[in-house]
Amino acid sequence: MEILDIVNENNELINKRETRKYIHDNFLWHRHVSCWIINEKGEILLQKRAAQKKKNPNKWSKTGGHVVSGEEPNESLKREIEEELGVIINDQDIKLISIYKSKEKKDRYFGYNFIVKVNYEINKFKLQKEEVSDVKYISINELLKIKKNNDNNYTFNKWKDKDFYQELEIIK
């Protein structure tokens, strides 16, 4: 059972914590992390969410998850990457690119968005099967084509174009 810190609408800790389910059921503000993982060739790693995932099953996405109680966002990101992909990331390989405030009434979170540099071949990742069924590297041009074609097999196609292209400009 994941316990998360509750934050206010200004992303300030309020010294309360609850289960992830309680927070989601009651539309409370919390924190989330995600990242674009980029290899030395400039390719972007995407992971396919496992079939049994409640949200976006079998869709390709960035790596990420919730910030658990007591963790800083960069610590949560490193934990998520290690759990889901079996990779240990160093602090110097992580760069915060933005903090996004959700505009949804039913999923109120602050999303910490990172870029992570890795030097891993695709076969070096050890996938957590409950979370991830597959991984692949794609080029930025392929990412643009996916967005242009509005391919629903990718979670980022739900994003507003402005948000997507702002992040893409940073990772280029």
Side-chain angles (χ1 to χ4, degrees):
M1 173 183 338
E2 275 184 312
I3 303 294
L4 311 179
D5 288 322
I6 300 171
V7 297
N8 65 20
E9 63 277 355
N10 297 314
N11 195 18
E12 300 164 331
L13 292 169
I14 60 169
N15 295 319
K16 290 186 181 178
R17 53 190 216 148
E18 284 292 345
T19 64
R20 180 170 97 174
K21 181 177 179 357
Y22 181 89
I23 286 173
H24 281 269
D25 289 349
N26 291 281
F27 316 120
L28 300 174
W29 287 102
H30 59 288
R31 293 174 174 167
H32 187 273
V33 293
S34 67
C35 69
W36 295 108
I37 296 177
I38 302 171
N39 69 11
E40 68 281 354
K41 297 176 193 171
E43 297 169 317
I44 299 164
L45 183 84
L46 296 178
Q47 62 184 53
K48 189 173 189 180
R49 296 173 59 81
Q52 67 272 17
K53 294 295 290 177
K54 188 175 181 178
K55 190 172 183 181
N56 296 312
N58 292 314
K59 292 196 178 196
W60 292 94
S61 69
K62 297 163 60 174
T63 301
H66 287 88
V67 176
V68 298
S69 182
E71 279 186 335
E72 291 297 322
N74 64 327
E75 295 171 321
S76 289
L77 183 69
K78 289 174 14 179
R79 176 184 46 77
E80 289 288 347
I81 292 170
E82 185 174 359
E83 287 174 0
E84 294 180 6
L85 301 173
V87 175
I88 296 174
I89 300 297
N90 298 314
D91 287 329
Q92 67 267 19
D93 297 324
I94 300 172
K95 178 182 176 188
L96 178 66
I97 58 173
S98 68
I99 301 173
Y100 171 79
K101 183 177 183 179
S102 166
K103 293 167 182 65
E104 298 177 40
K105 298 261 190 251
K106 293 186 176 185
D107 193 10
R108 299 170 74 184
Y109 66 91
F110 288 88
Y112 287 72
N113 300 305
F114 296 87
I115 292 174
V116 175
K117 301 280 187 173
V118 298
N119 191 14
Y120 284 91
E121 294 178 27
I122 204 75
N123 62 349
K124 299 292 183 194
F125 294 102
K126 295 186 178 22
L127 308 183
Q128 181 185 26
K129 294 299 181 190
E130 303 81 28
E131 298 282 334
V132 181
S133 63
D134 199 4
V135 290
K136 65 180 177 180
Y137 280 117
I138 66 170
S139 70
I140 288 181
N141 286 338
E142 289 173 280
L143 191 70
L144 287 167
K145 199 177 293 182
I146 290 164
K147 180 67 173 165
K148 181 180 178 188
N149 294 334
N150 198 28
D151 188 332
N152 286 326
N153 292 307
Y154 296 83
T155 59
F156 47 81
N157 277 325
K158 294 184 211 170
W159 300 1
K160 291 180 181 160
D161 284 352
K162 177 184 162 220
D163 297 332
F164 175 79
Y165 291 111
Q166 278 180 336
E167 283 198 26
L168 192 59
E169 279 304 311
I170 294 169
I171 64 174
K172 278 185 180 179

